[in-house]
Amino acid sequence: MSSRTSAISQPITIRRAVARDAKRLTRLVRGSGAYEGKYAAAVAGYRVGPDYIEAHRAYVAVGSDEDGGRVLGFYSLVLAPPELDLLFVADEAQGRGIGRLLVAHMQSEARAAGLDRVKVVSHLPAENFYHRVGAVRIGTALANPPAVLWDRPEFEFRIPSE
């Protein structure tokens, strides 16, 4: 079994992002292999700043000591209107279940905030991931040049009450 398909073997902690995480999160976005080639323009110059972290519910997945306690992924939940704005997992950490953990955490946070649905406009290479974690396709977000030159699938997470 390859490391891309193996489950999490070491503990992952999910915690609220703080201002000092901003540069790491920016590097994670800009360095994502999913945004190479024709997709590079979508994240060129993108910045996750301390102001963004403060304004939204941003959470990071932090690896165990074996991972050096580094940030392996993160997400950002916007409450109004409800949207999963960002979700990234470091390329070298993909396939370990971290994305699934982040989605489950996001759903818990959305439920606690009283939300019953959360929209996500997916990057094309992430479409299958969102299907696998239970999101339902609801439409298409049209291209938004100059940064996004292609249509993107829109999904929705339905958040059941407890």
Side-chain angles (χ1 to χ4, degrees):
M1 183 184 294
S2 77
S3 62
R4 289 186 59 75
T5 59
S6 63
I8 295 172
S9 60
Q10 298 295 317
I12 302 292
T13 302
I14 297 178
R15 64 162 172 80
R16 189 79 183 247
V18 294
R20 71 178 178 273
D21 293 321
K23 287 182 181 177
R24 281 180 278 201
L25 302 186
T26 297
R27 281 194 303 271
L28 203 80
V29 170
R30 289 183 185 173
S32 173
Y35 284 91
E36 293 176 338
K38 71 178 185 177
Y39 299 121
V43 295
Y46 196 90
R47 180 178 167 269
V48 180
D51 52 337
Y52 180 90
I53 290 169
E54 186 176 316
H56 303 294
R57 293 185 182 209
Y59 290 86
V60 296
V62 180
S64 66
D65 290 338
E66 185 177 293
D67 290 308
R70 65 190 175 89
V71 172
L72 300 174
F74 78 102
Y75 78 88
S76 175
L77 175 64
V78 175
L79 297 182
E83 183 173 4
L84 176 60
D85 187 42
L86 299 170
L87 173 64
F88 282 85
V89 174
D91 289 351
E92 66 276 6
Q94 290 183 13
R96 294 174 47 190
I98 295 167
R100 188 174 290 278
L101 280 177
L102 288 168
V103 166
H105 189 273
M106 177 278 298
Q107 291 173 311
S108 178
E109 286 296 311
R111 185 177 303 107
L115 303 176
D116 65 349
R117 296 169 190 270
V118 174
K119 179 178 117 176
V120 59
V121 177
S122 175
H123 181 49
L124 288 171
E127 185 173 7
N128 288 334
F129 167 77
Y130 285 112
H131 279 295
R132 287 192 312 271
V133 295
V136 176
R137 176 90 186 247
I138 59 169
T140 301
L142 299 178
N144 185 18
V148 183
L149 304 175
W150 52 89
D151 294 346
R152 295 158 293 153
E154 281 186 315
F155 289 92
E156 183 175 80
F157 287 99
R158 296 184 179 133
I159 312 296
S161 59
E162 286 186 318

